[in-house]
Amino acid sequence: MHDPLTQVLSRSLQEHITLHRTRHETLSCLVVLILRFGTVSLWRLASHAHSSAKTLSVHRRFERFFQYIVLDQAAIARLIVHMMGLSDRPWRLVLDRTNWKFGSVHINILMLGVVHEGLCIPLLWSSLGKAGNSDAQDRIALVKRVAQIFPGQDIECIIGDREFIGAEWMGWLYKRNIPFIMRVRDNIHAWYRDQNAEKLCAKARTLKRRQKIILKGLWHLGPGSVPVRIVIRR
């Protein structure tokens, strides 16, 4: 595996991930091949590897890597931040979740990424071990890991979809002065001061396509919820 790009990447990995030299080479080779050929099939990757060994031998080498090596997420996150040059600016974090099944097993990943030049770079994740949405403690634990791995790193805000709302979760962010931007359902009820609850969709009735309004003052999305500002866009 003597591809020049693989060798350069291998040297870079050595500064952040502790592995034997041959393991670094294998990991680098896998990364380069996946990017070049757009597949994660080990048989296909092995057939394209720059190696004098037979495809069967290269394939077995790839298999052994995944069989015996467990990469440290913190080390990977530090490597990504180093290579992308992300540490010199506040982070805009994005929370997302993906769920699929392998046979009867649910693979449910809660992912936290950082926005960079219009793309979201995966940074840290956790396997929920169940089907369905995450809860407040799952999300809090993921954000806490960011603080542990990157102490002192400024967070501009955390962005999430409609499933990432809830009094406990948003209250935790509010107490720690972490700004957040979360989508909400159009049929959710919101309270302004002591007035009766209103459906947000009712506020959008007069809006035309692509128009938006910013509701006056601070609103609450439920009993005990933190005050938020609400922007509605059709």
PDB file of all heavy atoms in Angstrom, residues 12-30:
ATOM      1  N   SER A  12       0.093  11.902   9.146  1.00  0.00           N
ATOM      2  CA  SER A  12      -0.761  12.840   9.868  1.00  0.00           C
ATOM      3  C   SER A  12      -1.535  12.133  10.982  1.00  0.00           C
ATOM      4  O   SER A  12      -1.701  12.670  12.083  1.00  0.00           O
ATOM      5  CB  SER A  12      -1.727  13.527   8.902  1.00  0.00           C
ATOM      6  OG  SER A  12      -2.538  14.460   9.570  1.00  0.00           O
ATOM      7  N   LEU A  13      -2.009  10.938  10.712  1.00  0.00           N
ATOM      8  CA  LEU A  13      -2.765  10.182  11.707  1.00  0.00           C
ATOM      9  C   LEU A  13      -1.913   9.835  12.921  1.00  0.00           C
ATOM     10  O   LEU A  13      -2.413   9.770  14.047  1.00  0.00           O
ATOM     11  CB  LEU A  13      -3.317   8.890  11.091  1.00  0.00           C
ATOM     12  CG  LEU A  13      -4.426   9.035  10.043  1.00  0.00           C
ATOM     13  CD1 LEU A  13      -4.797   7.676   9.475  1.00  0.00           C
ATOM     14  CD2 LEU A  13      -5.654   9.693  10.644  1.00  0.00           C
ATOM     15  N   GLN A  14      -0.640   9.612  12.721  1.00  0.00           N
ATOM     16  CA  GLN A  14       0.250   9.214  13.812  1.00  0.00           C
ATOM     17  C   GLN A  14       0.315  10.256  14.922  1.00  0.00           C
ATOM     18  O   GLN A  14       0.582   9.925  16.076  1.00  0.00           O
ATOM     19  CB  GLN A  14       1.657   8.942  13.270  1.00  0.00           C
ATOM     20  CG  GLN A  14       1.743   7.706  12.387  1.00  0.00           C
ATOM     21  CD  GLN A  14       3.115   7.522  11.760  1.00  0.00           C
ATOM     22  OE1 GLN A  14       4.103   8.061  12.259  1.00  0.00           O
ATOM     23  NE2 GLN A  14       3.174   6.803  10.657  1.00  0.00           N
ATOM     24  N   GLU A  15       0.051  11.522  14.594  1.00  0.00           N
ATOM     25  CA  GLU A  15       0.107  12.582  15.597  1.00  0.00           C
ATOM     26  C   GLU A  15      -1.091  12.569  16.541  1.00  0.00           C
ATOM     27  O   GLU A  15      -1.052  13.171  17.611  1.00  0.00           O
ATOM     28  CB  GLU A  15       0.182  13.943  14.902  1.00  0.00           C
ATOM     29  CG  GLU A  15       1.394  14.111  13.980  1.00  0.00           C
ATOM     30  CD  GLU A  15       1.358  15.431  13.238  1.00  0.00           C
ATOM     31  OE1 GLU A  15       0.487  16.264  13.581  1.00  0.00           O
ATOM     32  OE2 GLU A  15       2.184  15.630  12.324  1.00  0.00           O
ATOM     33  N   HIS A  16      -2.162  11.877  16.156  1.00  0.00           N
ATOM     34  CA  HIS A  16      -3.405  11.951  16.931  1.00  0.00           C
ATOM     35  C   HIS A  16      -3.949  10.596  17.348  1.00  0.00           C
ATOM     36  O   HIS A  16      -4.664  10.514  18.358  1.00  0.00           O
ATOM     37  CB  HIS A  16      -4.477  12.694  16.115  1.00  0.00           C
ATOM     38  CG  HIS A  16      -4.121  14.103  15.787  1.00  0.00           C
ATOM     39  ND1 HIS A  16      -4.407  15.161  16.631  1.00  0.00           N
ATOM     40  CD2 HIS A  16      -3.480  14.639  14.717  1.00  0.00           C
ATOM     41  CE1 HIS A  16      -3.977  16.283  16.089  1.00  0.00           C
ATOM     42  NE2 HIS A  16      -3.418  16.000  14.931  1.00  0.00           N
ATOM     43  N   ILE A  17      -3.666   9.544  16.599  1.00  0.00           N
ATOM     44  CA  ILE A  17      -4.224   8.223  16.886  1.00  0.00           C
ATOM     45  C   ILE A  17      -3.087   7.245  17.126  1.00  0.00           C
ATOM     46  O   ILE A  17      -2.214   7.067  16.267  1.00  0.00           O
ATOM     47  CB  ILE A  17      -5.110   7.740  15.719  1.00  0.00           C
ATOM     48  CG1 ILE A  17      -6.277   8.704  15.516  1.00  0.00           C
ATOM     49  CG2 ILE A  17      -5.643   6.331  15.987  1.00  0.00           C
ATOM     50  CD1 ILE A  17      -7.173   8.351  14.348  1.00  0.00           C
ATOM     51  N   THR A  18      -3.095   6.622  18.283  1.00  0.00           N
ATOM     52  CA  THR A  18      -2.031   5.691  18.663  1.00  0.00           C
ATOM     53  C   THR A  18      -2.336   4.303  18.116  1.00  0.00           C
ATOM     54  O   THR A  18      -3.230   3.605  18.588  1.00  0.00           O
ATOM     55  CB  THR A  18      -1.894   5.627  20.197  1.00  0.00           C
ATOM     56  OG1 THR A  18      -1.656   6.942  20.705  1.00  0.00           O
ATOM     57  CG2 THR A  18      -0.747   4.716  20.593  1.00  0.00           C
ATOM     58  N   LEU A  19      -1.573   3.912  17.090  1.00  0.00           N
ATOM     59  CA  LEU A  19      -1.686   2.590  16.489  1.00  0.00           C
ATOM     60  C   LEU A  19      -0.312   2.135  16.015  1.00  0.00           C
ATOM     61  O   LEU A  19       0.610   2.954  15.865  1.00  0.00           O
ATOM     62  CB  LEU A  19      -2.639   2.620  15.278  1.00  0.00           C
ATOM     63  CG  LEU A  19      -4.134   2.847  15.522  1.00  0.00           C
ATOM     64  CD1 LEU A  19      -4.855   3.029  14.179  1.00  0.00           C
ATOM     65  CD2 LEU A  19      -4.745   1.685  16.280  1.00  0.00           C
ATOM     66  N   HIS A  20      -0.183   0.842  15.770  1.00  0.00           N
ATOM     67  CA  HIS A  20       1.034   0.337  15.141  1.00  0.00           C
ATOM     68  C   HIS A  20       1.134   0.902  13.730  1.00  0.00           C
ATOM     69  O   HIS A  20       0.131   1.228  13.094  1.00  0.00           O
ATOM     70  CB  HIS A  20       1.000  -1.193  15.109  1.00  0.00           C
ATOM     71  CG  HIS A  20       2.297  -1.801  14.662  1.00  0.00           C
ATOM     72  ND1 HIS A  20       2.582  -2.031  13.330  1.00  0.00           N
ATOM     73  CD2 HIS A  20       3.375  -2.227  15.373  1.00  0.00           C
ATOM     74  CE1 HIS A  20       3.787  -2.570  13.232  1.00  0.00           C
ATOM     75  NE2 HIS A  20       4.285  -2.703  14.459  1.00  0.00           N
ATOM     76  N   ARG A  21       2.371   1.027  13.226  1.00  0.00           N
ATOM     77  CA  ARG A  21       2.590   1.635  11.907  1.00  0.00           C
ATOM     78  C   ARG A  21       1.754   0.971  10.810  1.00  0.00           C
ATOM     79  O   ARG A  21       1.153   1.657   9.969  1.00  0.00           O
ATOM     80  CB  ARG A  21       4.074   1.549  11.538  1.00  0.00           C
ATOM     81  CG  ARG A  21       4.405   2.145  10.167  1.00  0.00           C
ATOM     82  CD  ARG A  21       5.873   1.964   9.847  1.00  0.00           C
ATOM     83  NE  ARG A  21       6.229   0.555   9.850  1.00  0.00           N
ATOM     84  CZ  ARG A  21       5.999  -0.279   8.810  1.00  0.00           C
ATOM     85  NH1 ARG A  21       5.417   0.162   7.712  1.00  0.00           N
ATOM     86  NH2 ARG A  21       6.363  -1.540   8.880  1.00  0.00           N
ATOM     87  N   THR A  22       1.697  -0.345  10.801  1.00  0.00           N
ATOM     88  CA  THR A  22       0.940  -1.031   9.751  1.00  0.00           C
ATOM     89  C   THR A  22      -0.562  -0.754   9.869  1.00  0.00           C
ATOM     90  O   THR A  22      -1.278  -0.713   8.868  1.00  0.00           O
ATOM     91  CB  THR A  22       1.185  -2.545   9.806  1.00  0.00           C
ATOM     92  OG1 THR A  22       0.846  -3.035  11.113  1.00  0.00           O
ATOM     93  CG2 THR A  22       2.648  -2.856   9.524  1.00  0.00           C
ATOM     94  N   ARG A  23      -1.038  -0.552  11.115  1.00  0.00           N
ATOM     95  CA  ARG A  23      -2.456  -0.216  11.300  1.00  0.00           C
ATOM     96  C   ARG A  23      -2.756   1.184  10.777  1.00  0.00           C
ATOM     97  O   ARG A  23      -3.814   1.443  10.211  1.00  0.00           O
ATOM     98  CB  ARG A  23      -2.837  -0.317  12.781  1.00  0.00           C
ATOM     99  CG  ARG A  23      -2.675  -1.695  13.398  1.00  0.00           C
ATOM    100  CD  ARG A  23      -3.596  -2.713  12.769  1.00  0.00           C
ATOM    101  NE  ARG A  23      -3.687  -3.927  13.574  1.00  0.00           N
ATOM    102  CZ  ARG A  23      -4.251  -5.059  13.164  1.00  0.00           C
ATOM    103  NH1 ARG A  23      -4.771  -5.139  11.955  1.00  0.00           N
ATOM    104  NH2 ARG A  23      -4.300  -6.116  13.964  1.00  0.00           N
ATOM    105  N   HIS A  24      -1.805   2.106  10.986  1.00  0.00           N
ATOM    106  CA  HIS A  24      -1.971   3.448  10.424  1.00  0.00           C
ATOM    107  C   HIS A  24      -2.075   3.374   8.902  1.00  0.00           C
ATOM    108  O   HIS A  24      -2.896   4.057   8.285  1.00  0.00           O
ATOM    109  CB  HIS A  24      -0.785   4.338  10.819  1.00  0.00           C
ATOM    110  CG  HIS A  24      -0.924   4.975  12.154  1.00  0.00           C
ATOM    111  ND1 HIS A  24       0.032   4.882  13.130  1.00  0.00           N
ATOM    112  CD2 HIS A  24      -1.916   5.731  12.698  1.00  0.00           C
ATOM    113  CE1 HIS A  24      -0.361   5.537  14.210  1.00  0.00           C
ATOM    114  NE2 HIS A  24      -1.540   6.059  13.973  1.00  0.00           N
ATOM    115  N   GLU A  25      -1.215   2.555   8.306  1.00  0.00           N
ATOM    116  CA  GLU A  25      -1.233   2.421   6.848  1.00  0.00           C
ATOM    117  C   GLU A  25      -2.558   1.843   6.366  1.00  0.00           C
ATOM    118  O   GLU A  25      -3.118   2.302   5.360  1.00  0.00           O
ATOM    119  CB  GLU A  25      -0.076   1.525   6.404  1.00  0.00           C
ATOM    120  CG  GLU A  25       1.295   2.145   6.598  1.00  0.00           C
ATOM    121  CD  GLU A  25       2.412   1.187   6.216  1.00  0.00           C
ATOM    122  OE1 GLU A  25       2.098   0.020   5.874  1.00  0.00           O
ATOM    123  OE2 GLU A  25       3.581   1.605   6.263  1.00  0.00           O
ATOM    124  N   THR A  26      -3.067   0.847   7.087  1.00  0.00           N
ATOM    125  CA  THR A  26      -4.337   0.236   6.700  1.00  0.00           C
ATOM    126  C   THR A  26      -5.484   1.233   6.802  1.00  0.00           C
ATOM    127  O   THR A  26      -6.313   1.350   5.892  1.00  0.00           O
ATOM    128  CB  THR A  26      -4.640  -0.984   7.590  1.00  0.00           C
ATOM    129  OG1 THR A  26      -3.574  -1.938   7.466  1.00  0.00           O
ATOM    130  CG2 THR A  26      -5.950  -1.642   7.183  1.00  0.00           C
ATOM    131  N   LEU A  27      -5.536   1.973   7.911  1.00  0.00           N
ATOM    132  CA  LEU A  27      -6.595   2.976   8.093  1.00  0.00           C
ATOM    133  C   LEU A  27      -6.515   4.042   7.014  1.00  0.00           C
ATOM    134  O   LEU A  27      -7.533   4.425   6.425  1.00  0.00           O
ATOM    135  CB  LEU A  27      -6.473   3.604   9.484  1.00  0.00           C
ATOM    136  CG  LEU A  27      -7.449   4.754   9.797  1.00  0.00           C
ATOM    137  CD1 LEU A  27      -8.903   4.297   9.652  1.00  0.00           C
ATOM    138  CD2 LEU A  27      -7.212   5.292  11.216  1.00  0.00           C
ATOM    139  N   SER A  28      -5.318   4.527   6.722  1.00  0.00           N
ATOM    140  CA  SER A  28      -5.144   5.559   5.696  1.00  0.00           C
ATOM    141  C   SER A  28      -5.570   5.042   4.337  1.00  0.00           C
ATOM    142  O   SER A  28      -6.228   5.746   3.557  1.00  0.00           O
ATOM    143  CB  SER A  28      -3.684   6.008   5.659  1.00  0.00           C
ATOM    144  OG  SER A  28      -3.270   6.507   6.914  1.00  0.00           O
ATOM    145  N   CYS A  29      -5.195   3.811   4.046  1.00  0.00           N
ATOM    146  CA  CYS A  29      -5.561   3.205   2.765  1.00  0.00           C
ATOM    147  C   CYS A  29      -7.079   3.104   2.638  1.00  0.00           C
ATOM    148  O   CYS A  29      -7.652   3.433   1.589  1.00  0.00           O
ATOM    149  CB  CYS A  29      -4.916   1.822   2.641  1.00  0.00           C
ATOM    150  SG  CYS A  29      -5.265   0.998   1.080  1.00  0.00           S
ATOM    151  N   LEU A  30      -7.739   2.679   3.699  1.00  0.00           N
ATOM    152  CA  LEU A  30      -9.198   2.564   3.675  1.00  0.00           C
ATOM    153  C   LEU A  30      -9.861   3.920   3.424  1.00  0.00           C
ATOM    154  O   LEU A  30     -10.783   4.034   2.611  1.00  0.00           O
ATOM    155  CB  LEU A  30      -9.686   1.975   5.001  1.00  0.00           C
ATOM    156  CG  LEU A  30      -9.538   0.464   5.173  1.00  0.00           C
ATOM    157  CD1 LEU A  30      -9.711   0.071   6.638  1.00  0.00           C
ATOM    158  CD2 LEU A  30     -10.552  -0.272   4.305  1.00  0.00           C
TER     159      LEU A  30
END
